[in-house]
């Protein structure tokens, strides 16, 4: 696709990104949408990473965005690793299924590596993320809670191959 620009989100983009998020998620998982409110509130959270909040523009209109927050993994011996959680990622409905989310994901992965992150986690539909290298949390031995819960929607990607070292981890 031609005439695309990818850049970091600025404060002047906030309303457009929230509107895009609402439009992209409207009636997808539940009637209506709440993801736009999540985007609005996550920017003021200390775990939000503005260096990984990218927007994609076509002809000056924001048609895609991606955001991340900090999160942690805890090992069997109590060691903690700071990682990043991907999401939300949005593409305007008129531009979906054209590879634009792939562009956002790949650019943000490169920047996350530059910032020193080795692992990313995502809650999402596996069909949307396995093509970008995400795998089942069970395959990576990353669980939730103390009971070893492995949700289908919890996906893991080592940005640096071997970063998890085959150990057992708990997502925090």
């Amino acid at each position: 696709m031609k005439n695309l620009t990818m850049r970091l989100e600025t404060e002047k983009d906030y309303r457009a990104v929230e509107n895009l998020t609402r439009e992209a998620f409207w009636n997808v998982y539940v009637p209506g949408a709440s993801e736009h409110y999540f985007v609005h509130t996550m920017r003021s959270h200390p775990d939000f990473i503005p260096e990984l909040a990218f927007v994609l523009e076509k002809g000056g209109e924001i048609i895609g965005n991606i955001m991340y927050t900090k999160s942690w993994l805890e090992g069997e011996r109590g060691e903690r690793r700071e990682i990043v959680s991907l999401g939300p990622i949005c593409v305007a409905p008129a531009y979906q299924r054209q590879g634009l989310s792939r562009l956002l994901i790949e650019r943000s992965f490169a920047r996350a590596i530059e910032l020193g992150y080795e692992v990313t986690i995502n809650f999402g539909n596996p069909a949307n993320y396995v093509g970008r290298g995400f795998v089942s949390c069970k395959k990576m031995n990353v669980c939730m809670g103390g009971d070893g819960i492995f949700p289908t929607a919890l996906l893991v990607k080592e940005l640096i191959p071997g970063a998890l070292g085959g150990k057992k981890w708990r997502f925090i």
Side-chain angles (χ1 to χ4, degrees):
M1 183 174 291
K2 296 181 181 182
N3 301 322
L4 292 176
T5 303
M6 192 178 311
R7 61 175 175 76
L8 288 175
E9 178 190 55
T10 66
E11 192 171 338
K12 70 179 179 68
D13 302 321
Y14 287 5
R15 175 69 81 178
V17 167
E18 290 165 21
N19 288 339
L20 167 66
T21 304
R22 183 184 61 243
E23 182 182 337
F25 282 98
W26 193 259
N27 290 336
V28 173
Y29 299 110
V30 297
S34 59
E35 289 81 0
H36 60 293
Y37 180 69
F38 175 65
V39 164
H40 177 79
T41 59
M42 74 186 276
R43 290 190 192 101
S44 62
H45 195 279
D47 293 335
F48 176 63
I49 308 171
E51 299 88 354
L52 292 175
F54 289 96
V55 295
L56 188 61
E57 291 181 315
K58 179 173 175 56
E61 175 189 2
I62 294 176
I63 63 167
N65 77 291
I66 191 168
M67 299 176 143
Y68 288 81
T69 55
K70 296 176 190 174
S71 53
W72 289 265
L73 294 176
E74 184 176 89
E76 294 176 274
R77 296 187 181 114
E79 69 274 26
R80 289 179 68 136
R81 295 187 67 164
E82 186 175 302
I83 64 169
V84 291
S85 291
L86 182 159
I89 179 170
C90 306
V91 174
Y95 296 98
Q96 291 177 0
R97 305 288 178 221
Q98 297 179 38
L100 300 180
S101 61
R102 177 183 49 81
L103 297 174
L104 287 160
I105 289 171
E106 289 177 359
R107 175 64 185 103
S108 64
F109 282 178
R111 181 66 178 132
I113 292 167
E114 290 171 2
L115 292 171
Y117 294 104
E118 298 179 328
V119 177
T120 185
I121 267 185
N122 175 262
F123 276 96
N125 181 340
N128 293 335
Y129 296 97
V130 295
R132 302 280 58 88
F134 282 91
V135 297
S136 157
C137 63
K138 189 165 191 167
K139 184 173 185 175
M140 298 304 291
N141 214 8
V142 175
C143 69
M144 290 189 69
D147 297 330
I149 299 167
F150 297 96
T152 302
L154 182 60
L155 305 168
V156 180
K157 166 135 174 96
E158 291 179 319
L159 298 171
I160 305 297
L164 294 176
K167 298 179 186 176
K168 292 181 182 178
W169 297 95
R170 185 170 60 93
F171 176 57
I172 301 174

